[in-house]
Amino acid sequence: MSQRSPQLRSPGGAGWHSGEGKDVSPPAQPPMSVVKSIEVVLPKDTVYLAGSNIDGQVVLTLNSTLVDPVVKVELVGRGYVEWNEEIGETRDYSRDVICNNKADYVHKTKTFPIKDNWLRAGSHTFDFHFNLPPRLPSTFNSKIGHVSYFVQALCMGREHILAKKRLYLLVQGISEFRQRNLTQNPILVEVEKKVSYSCCSQGWVRLQVQMVKNTFVPGENVTFTTEIRNNTGKYIKTVVFALYAHVQYEGFTPNAERRQRADSSELLRQVANAHIPAFNSTTVVSAFTLPLVLSVSNCSQENEIMQTSYELVVTIHLPWSLSTVKARLPIIITSRREDQDSCPQVVESPNEDQLV
């Protein structure tokens, strides 16, 4: 008994036929979009101070004529924090509770006028200007929360978004910190620790850290002097310098109960090869450059979802005694318009500390 082969129509017919006799339409070619591209043009790598101006352009390129278009640009700034909080036996149950919080800092929109309500094919440039509010937190990002700012351009036609482009900004908050005399006050921290080594031997290590000031602005050079007295029979090989940011987050449970979460991160770190002999002392002069954007110290008026403090920690590791010696110095980060104008140009931090 013979079988008939399934018939296939040619592509020029009404449609394709599979071997099972079902019609399969050929893949349709998507129509070419009327919008070729939309771009936001801003100065590259600019850090915007709170209260400053943002001047830029939106460049819209069309493949064909667009009738009744809506072209606009938005400035958006917002913050959000979220973490899981473990509730233990003290509350008679054990489960994770999601704590979160959010804040809207700025949202401005500019819609560009379109002459005769149509745009021809080609490129079109629209100038825009925004003014940032004077009280804003700095751009920030961590595993728990973030504060972000962006400029977003949109092209719409008949209530449909045809193209969208988002460009994120670096914003530095400005504090109301007015105690200018603190910038001239020196700070000195001294720590001494008794240590045991080689079974029954004992000695002590003294660590002294001095700064001519402890108030800085983002991008500024920070210098400090460390004096180490090694009154033991062992060598001290290295000294570690680190700048930490301590952040206190504010959030709410689903039942609107206020919660707080503390978290710390290391911003900068240097290691000096000290090689301090037994019963000897050494002075280490260190320097590093602060990041260009930093949250202002404990400025709750600008940021209602998190507060930040800073600390310089100098650590001497003593592996032969299984202990460490640490000195902690509070660092204040402030920012005013005049501070930024007088701040020196950023230079690369030295890779190694100078031994005196």
Side-chain angles (χ1 to χ4, degrees):
M1 183 176 179
S2 62
Q3 288 184 329
R4 299 181 59 185
S5 300
Q7 295 181 352
L8 300 177
R9 293 188 182 183
S10 65
W16 292 85
H17 281 264
S18 67
E20 298 177 355
K22 296 181 180 179
D23 289 336
V24 179
S25 299
Q29 296 295 325
M32 183 173 60
S33 174
V34 65
V35 178
K36 181 178 181 180
S37 66
I38 187 169
E39 299 293 335
V40 178
V41 180
L42 287 170
K44 188 177 180 180
D45 300 329
T46 300
V47 176
Y48 294 94
L49 294 177
S52 64
N53 297 326
I54 299 176
D55 296 298
Q57 293 179 327
V58 173
V59 179
L60 176 66
T61 304
L62 301 178
N63 288 313
S64 58
T65 300
L66 180 59
V67 180
D68 294 332
V70 176
V71 182
K72 62 182 181 179
V73 60
E74 298 175 329
L75 170 64
V76 180
R78 55 197 179 202
Y80 185 77
V81 298
E82 180 178 295
W83 71 88
N84 289 341
E85 184 173 285
E86 295 181 0
I87 305 299
E89 297 178 354
T90 57
R91 297 179 181 267
D92 298 329
Y93 59 96
S94 179
R95 63 187 180 89
D96 289 344
V97 174
I98 296 179
C99 303
N100 55 35
N101 198 359
K102 64 180 180 179
D104 293 321
Y105 301 114
V106 57
H107 194 164
K108 298 182 178 182
T109 303
K110 176 178 176 59
T111 301
F112 301 106
I114 305 297
K115 185 178 180 180
D116 298 328
N117 290 329
W118 67 278
L119 293 172
R120 59 175 173 78
S123 295
H124 305 269
T125 301
F126 306 89
D127 297 325
F128 67 85
H129 167 87
F130 286 121
N131 181 258
L132 287 169
R135 303 172 70 85
L136 288 176
S138 303
T139 300
F140 177 85
N141 188 43
S142 74
K143 61 182 179 180
I144 296 177
H146 68 266
V147 175
S148 62
Y149 300 89
F150 60 85
V151 172
Q152 180 172 265
L154 298 99
C155 178
M156 303 176 63
R158 303 186 185 278
E159 300 182 355
H160 295 288
I161 297 178
L162 302 177
K164 179 170 63 175
K165 182 70 173 185
R166 179 178 295 183
L167 191 64
Y168 283 88
L169 309 176
L170 292 176
V171 174
Q172 173 59 51
I174 296 179
S175 68
E176 298 295 331
F177 196 74
R178 300 188 181 279
Q179 300 179 13
R180 294 175 179 269
N181 58 332
L182 285 181
T183 62
Q184 305 300 326
N185 287 351
I187 182 171
L188 174 65
V189 174
E190 183 175 301
V191 179
E192 184 176 308
K193 187 171 185 178
K194 295 181 180 180
V195 293
S196 299
Y197 59 96
S198 300
C199 296
C200 52
S201 299
Q202 289 188 336
W204 50 265
V205 175
R206 180 182 299 143
L207 172 60
Q208 185 183 87
V209 186
Q210 185 173 7
M211 306 176 70
V212 296
K213 65 175 185 176
N214 73 327
T215 302
F216 302 93
V217 299
E220 188 176 0
N221 291 330
V222 178
T223 58
F224 51 95
T225 302
T226 304
E227 295 182 13
I228 304 166
R229 174 64 182 177
N230 178 18
N231 196 42
T232 70
K234 295 287 188 176
Y235 258 83
I236 294 178
K237 296 183 179 181
T238 59
V239 184
V240 179
F241 311 98
L243 178 65
Y244 289 90
H246 305 299
V247 185
Q248 184 84 13
Y249 298 95
E250 296 252 348
F252 295 89
T253 68
N255 295 329
E257 297 176 344
R258 183 183 296 272
R259 292 284 190 270
Q260 292 185 334
R261 169 77 177 265
D263 189 55
S264 298
S265 60
E266 186 179 274
L267 299 180
L268 298 168
R269 181 182 181 90
Q270 290 183 7
V271 179
N273 297 319
H275 296 297
I276 307 172
F279 303 103
N280 211 324
S281 62
T282 298
T283 299
V284 182
V285 178
S286 307
F288 56 77
T289 302
L290 293 173
L292 292 176
V293 177
L294 286 172
S295 299
V296 175
S297 297
N298 292 331
C299 206
S300 59
Q301 293 178 341
E302 282 77 16
N303 197 343
E304 58 208 50
I305 64 176
M306 65 182 76
Q307 297 185 36
T308 308
S309 61
Y310 299 89
E311 187 177 47
L312 173 65
V313 181
V314 180
T315 306
I316 302 175
H317 293 280
L318 308 174
W320 33 265
S321 70
L322 301 179
S323 62
T324 59
V325 183
K326 288 189 177 183
R328 301 178 180 272
L329 293 83
I331 299 294
I332 299 174
I333 300 298
T334 183
S335 181
R336 292 184 296 271
R337 199 172 299 277
E338 57 268 29
D339 291 330
Q340 298 293 330
D341 294 339
S342 61
C343 185
Q345 294 294 322
V346 175
V347 295
E348 186 177 356
S349 301
N351 294 326
E352 295 183 357
D353 296 287
Q354 178 184 0
L355 299 184
V356 180

